[in-house]
Amino acid sequence: MKESVKVKKTMKRLLFIITSLIIITALSVLFFFTSTPSFTGVILEINKSSIWVVEASAHNIKNKPDDELYEKYKYQGIVFQLPSYIPERMLNEFSRGQEVKIYYSGEVRESAPAGGDAYWVTTFNK
């Protein structure tokens, strides 16, 4: 009988600890995505470790020649360095003219175009 009560108490404690960890993790993720600065725009150029994002419509980017785009947007947008933990398959899905939201450090380097360090990238499939 005593053993049964001990097991029940241990299970309750374990359940409480696991539930607490899940709640803390969920709140941490929520806090990260609501407090981290973000930049929304359209991908202009994709490299292996960076993407150039400008505030424009996808219609203005798609099917335009490189020279025309670079001349029009050469001093605009931000070139984001991508983190190494973004999955390779996600990087392969990025395309010019795709709308994205970049979560970044909040610091932007003064250059033309500006530069920043991305934490995460989400895409909008329209």
Side-chain angles (χ1 to χ4, degrees):
M1 190 90 164
K2 277 186 168 181
E3 234 175 79
S4 173
V5 172
K6 262 186 166 177
V7 170
K8 285 183 179 180
K9 280 186 176 182
T10 305
M11 292 300 285
K12 282 183 179 180
R13 285 182 185 159
L14 185 60
L15 180 62
F16 176 75
I17 291 170
I18 290 172
T19 304
S20 298
L21 288 173
I22 290 171
I23 290 171
I24 289 169
T25 302
L27 290 174
S28 298
V29 169
L30 178 67
F31 178 74
F32 174 80
F33 283 107
T34 56
S35 66
T36 302
S38 63
F39 182 84
T40 304
V42 177
I43 296 176
L44 184 63
E45 183 178 278
I46 307 156
N47 291 322
K48 190 170 188 156
S49 63
S50 66
I51 57 174
W52 182 5
V53 181
V54 296
E55 291 178 323
S57 70
H59 177 72
N60 291 339
I61 303 293
K62 291 181 179 180
N63 302 320
K64 299 274 176 135
D66 289 347
D67 294 344
E68 182 181 334
L69 290 173
Y70 295 142
E71 185 62 34
K72 183 174 182 177
Y73 295 107
K74 66 182 171 184
Y75 300 117
Q76 297 179 30
I78 302 174
V79 176
F80 289 100
Q81 297 299 316
L82 298 173
S84 60
Y85 54 78
I86 290 185
E88 183 83 22
R89 65 174 172 73
M90 188 175 178
L91 295 175
N92 293 333
E93 292 175 2
F94 292 152
S95 61
R96 177 188 280 175
Q98 186 176 26
E99 292 184 51
V100 292
K101 183 172 189 176
I102 311 283
Y103 295 92
Y104 68 105
S105 64
E107 297 177 10
V108 177
R109 292 181 288 282
E110 294 181 19
S111 58
D117 296 320
Y119 290 146
W120 194 251
V121 180
T122 58
T123 58
F124 300 105
N125 296 325
K126 289 188 176 183

